[in-house]
Each structure stands twice: as C-alpha cells, then as structure tokens.
Amino acid sequence: MCGIAGVFGNQVGLDPAVVEGVRRMTEAQVHRGPDDEGWLQMEDLVLGHRRLSIVDLSEAGKQPMPNEEATVFIRGAQPIFVNNVIQNNAAVAITIDANSLNDRLVA
C-alpha cells in the first residue's frame, strides 16, 4: 500500500515550513512505501508520495506521473499521483491506442 501526503492552499508551496511538514508526513509513511518516493512542489500545492512496488518494479512507476510531453511541472499541467494497481492491465493495454499510454502499462 502506497502513501500520499499533501497540502493545497494559497501559496503553500512557497512556505518552507509547509514543504518541510509534507516531507515529514511522507517520511512517516515509509513503512507504506519503502521502494521509492516522489515529490511535487508548486505555488499552491505540495505533495509527497511513498511507493510500494508490487506489479511494476520499473522506473515507469515513479510518481508523480508526467503527461506524454513530460511537462508535469509546468504550471497548468495536470500531475497524477496514483495509489492503485490495474488488475487487468494486460487487457487494458490492448485497448489503448499504441500512441498514448500503452508503453507505460506493464503486463
């Protein structure tokens, strides 16, 4: 089971105390995700993620997951943190267009 912690609000990402607080919350969840960690810090959002690798042990599962252009950290892009697994990912990969997320689904 992965762990996610974060704070959303007016300019929270500019406050070092808030950023440190999210880091401490995420570190406290290391038992939920000892395999990796990921961070996202924007002006109005700070997120931390702990990863427990079960199905996908590759770097493709690092979070936050970027969009196809890898512009996840550009203001206006939509970063994604996921705390789930797609159980039928091989079947789903067949139905997804080869030019989209197909390469990022691991069977």
Side-chain angles (χ1 to χ4, degrees), residues 18-95:
V18 172
V19 174
E20 178 58 25
V22 172
R23 286 197 181 275
R24 288 196 334 260
M25 286 188 286
T26 306
E27 288 169 2
Q29 298 181 60
V30 70
H31 63 284
R32 296 186 62 124
D35 298 322
D36 197 11
E37 63 184 0
W39 302 95
L40 176 65
Q41 181 179 348
M42 301 172 80
E43 183 177 329
D44 298 331
L45 176 68
V46 182
L47 290 173
H49 178 266
R50 296 298 314 192
R51 179 177 179 210
L52 175 61
S53 302
I54 297 174
V55 176
D56 181 3
L57 306 179
S58 75
E59 290 292 308
K62 284 192 76 67
Q63 298 197 39
M65 291 183 164
N67 60 7
E68 287 80 10
E69 294 83 29
T71 57
V72 68
F73 296 109
I74 294 177
R75 186 126 178 104
Q78 299 299 314
I80 299 173
F81 278 84
V82 180
N83 189 17
N84 207 340
V85 62
I86 300 172
Q87 298 296 334
N88 64 338
N89 59 347
V92 170
I94 292 170
T95 64

